[in-house]
Amino acid sequence: MASPRLETFCCPNRDAATAFVVTFQPVLFSALSVGSAGLSVIFAIIQILPKRKGYRRLGQYPLPRPASSSRILFIVSICDILGCAGIILRSSLWLGLPNLIEGISVANNTDVWPEVYCVGSAMWIQLFFSASFWWSFCYAVDVYLVVKTSAGISTIILYHMITWGLAVLLCVEGVAMLYYPSISDCEQGLQHAIPHYVTTYAPMLLVLLANPVFFNRTISAVTSLLKGRQGIYTENERRLANDIKMRFFKMMLVFFICWVPNIINESLLFYLEMQTDINDGSLRNVRNAALITWFIMGILNPMQPFLNTLAFHGWTGFDVDLSLQRRRELAWDSVSTSVPNAAGHNPIVGATLLYQSHVQEGQKNGMGNGQNHSDAISVLSEGSESSTVEIHISSELRDYEDVDADGESLENSVRH
């Protein structure tokens, strides 16, 4: 689980609210966290592994698409998996070496390993989940820029600098403020811990508040883009817009499910910290709510890697292809360099190639929005359960017939 309370727990003179939740049934909590994180990591890795020919993903078709979008989603999955790996390590040591955990609570302890374990595992988890938040925000910005400004291939290096730089900076700054002047003798008081909590939850709140705005603007821009191509809004285009809208909804739903309990739990614990005695009978319901949300966090936080891959790609199954992806790419390259043969034996590939040539022809004729449409749809439809290629073909072949200078039919165009 990714909570700043785990880093606060590393201080022997921790506050009463932190000690209350962290020390309540730690064995059960650690077991639930290990089980949830382990299953999530396994299924997330299965999801992102390459699949056999039977599974159709947009990235396997020779359609033009920006490299940044699929790469950002892949990096988000990797950050989530690495964050869960930290949860597995920390919880496993808690279960296997309880004496190590007990050493953290001893003031002026000469053994540094309990503190190293506590601080190291907590920083690892916070760093990679914070990076996942920043990458999720960059994805929302990227798809909006591609659709709105015809950005094409975005600068992935700039995204790396922003996300990793901010994640490392905020993590180090928050921990330095929390453990001042030393880990064994942290300053007490709510004001002392607030900067650490702000640096932890700032990227999370950014995604919760900003991503829906960017996604909503992107959906509006895509709708206008599809309508503006011919001045009409066909059923295929409406279906494609709905698929894109559902994709964004799934992504935000996963984020809300996994991380809103953290905000609720933190609010309850802050309320308990401001009380003179957290064991007062009148605070019983607040304590129970804090414990319930604490265990919910332990289960749902580690589930983000798997749930994110479901939102990004849908269920891709267990049909994993461990062969080199390069062979498949070479095969597609050979097909795309031989248009007559490919069109004669595979109508889908032929139609796809015609779609590419139509987009290029539209660019040459000054249509202006051909590349924007291609980039935008390929970004937003990456990993869609429906066949985006078929949607492209069904909507674009009519355009091809209209702009064909020789007036040939589509069937003749494919054959010749």
Side-chain angles (χ1 to χ4, degrees):
M1 181 190 57
S3 172
R5 294 287 167 178
L6 297 173
E7 292 168 325
T8 307
F9 182 75
C10 298
C11 295
N13 54 343
R14 65 188 71 91
D15 60 274
T18 300
F20 168 68
V21 292
V22 177
T23 58
F24 181 81
Q25 297 291 336
V27 175
L28 176 61
F29 179 83
S30 298
L32 291 174
S33 298
V34 168
S36 178
L39 291 176
S40 181
V41 168
I42 292 173
F43 284 112
I45 292 176
I46 292 175
Q47 282 282 93
I48 64 177
L49 287 176
K51 302 299 183 294
R52 299 184 188 275
K53 294 180 180 179
Y55 174 66
R56 298 184 301 175
R57 287 183 60 180
L58 184 62
Q60 294 176 347
Y61 291 92
L63 287 173
R65 64 178 177 86
S68 60
S69 61
S70 59
R71 196 176 304 176
I72 289 175
L73 296 182
F74 179 78
I75 293 174
V76 170
S77 298
I78 294 299
C79 290
D80 290 338
I81 291 173
L82 291 175
C84 274
I87 294 177
I88 294 173
L89 176 62
R90 186 201 65 218
S91 299
S92 298
L93 288 177
W94 195 304
L95 291 172
L97 299 173
N99 294 332
L100 184 67
I101 309 302
E102 294 176 359
I104 301 174
S105 302
V106 179
N108 300 323
N109 187 15
T110 57
D111 189 4
V112 299
W113 287 111
E115 295 176 351
V116 170
Y117 149 75
C118 185
V119 176
S121 60
M123 289 187 63
W124 176 280
I125 295 169
Q126 179 188 344
L127 174 63
F128 283 105
F129 277 115
S130 295
S132 174
F133 301 154
W134 287 114
W135 278 111
S136 299
F137 173 73
C138 286
Y139 175 79
V141 174
D142 185 70
V143 295
Y144 176 75
L145 292 177
V146 169
V147 174
K148 195 67 177 177
T149 64
S150 305
I153 299 179
S154 301
T155 307
I156 196 69
I157 297 179
L158 178 61
Y159 292 149
H160 275 288
M161 295 173 61
I162 294 174
T163 54
W164 294 113
L166 289 175
V168 172
L169 177 64
L170 293 179
C171 181
V172 172
E173 180 184 2
V175 168
M177 294 288 292
L178 180 66
Y179 297 139
Y180 179 83
S182 67
I183 299 177
S184 59
D185 188 23
C186 304
E187 288 188 5
Q188 294 182 334
L190 189 60
Q191 297 81 2
H192 166 66
I194 282 179
H196 170 60
Y197 290 97
V198 170
T199 57
T200 302
Y201 283 108
M204 182 190 303
L205 293 174
L206 180 65
V207 175
L208 287 173
L209 299 177
N211 277 29
V213 176
F214 279 107
F215 286 158
N216 184 63
R217 291 180 176 271
T218 301
I219 292 170
S220 300
V222 168
T223 303
S224 301
L225 188 66
L226 294 174
K227 288 180 179 179
R229 287 165 52 238
Q230 291 188 6
I232 59 176
Y233 197 45
T234 65
E235 180 63 27
N236 285 331
E237 291 166 335
R238 184 178 295 105
R239 182 175 58 178
L240 180 57
N242 290 335
D243 288 343
I244 294 170
K245 185 184 301 183
M246 182 57 63
R247 175 189 179 86
F248 289 158
F249 173 77
K250 290 178 182 178
M251 294 170 65
M252 290 310 305
L253 180 62
V254 168
F255 201 88
F256 272 86
I257 290 175
C258 291
W259 298 109
V260 167
N262 293 56
I263 299 176
I264 298 175
N265 178 263
E266 206 61 58
S267 301
L268 294 172
L269 292 179
F270 271 127
Y271 177 77
L272 289 176
E273 283 186 39
M274 292 186 293
Q275 308 304 314
T276 56
D277 183 14
I278 67 170
N279 295 318
D280 187 85
S282 61
L283 301 174
R284 179 179 179 182
N285 292 333
V286 179
R287 293 196 302 270
N288 291 338
L291 291 176
I292 291 173
T293 53
W294 179 259
F295 276 80
I296 290 176
M297 290 164 53
I299 297 174
L300 290 182
N301 286 178
M303 290 301 296
Q304 176 168 289
F306 176 54
L307 295 179
N308 261 345
T309 56
L310 288 180
F312 295 159
H313 310 297
W315 174 245
T316 61
F318 294 92
D319 194 15
V320 177
D321 185 7
L322 298 179
S323 60
L324 295 176
Q325 284 290 96
R326 181 62 179 168
R327 297 178 183 177
R328 184 178 301 170
E329 295 174 358
L330 290 175
W332 276 115
D333 290 340
S334 63
V335 169
S336 58
T337 54
S338 180
V339 177
N341 294 336
H345 297 285
N346 193 333
I348 294 181
V349 174
T352 304
L353 295 174
L354 287 176
Y355 164 75
Q356 285 183 299
S357 64
H358 169 60
V359 173
Q360 295 172 357
E361 185 66 23
Q363 290 176 318
K364 293 178 182 178
N365 292 335
M367 294 176 62
N369 66 343
Q371 182 64 36
N372 190 1
H373 175 270
S374 173
D375 289 347
I377 302 305
S378 59
V379 169
L380 303 177
S381 303
E382 175 77 17
S384 176
E385 294 179 1
S386 61
S387 177
T388 306
V389 175
E390 293 176 359
I391 296 175
H392 277 306
I393 294 171
S394 61
S395 61
E396 294 293 345
L397 288 183
R398 293 191 306 274
D399 299 343
Y400 184 84
E401 291 176 349
D402 294 338
V403 300
D404 191 349
D406 298 329
E408 295 181 344
S409 64
L410 174 62
E411 183 178 355
N412 292 332
S413 298
V414 173
R415 184 171 58 253
H416 298 294

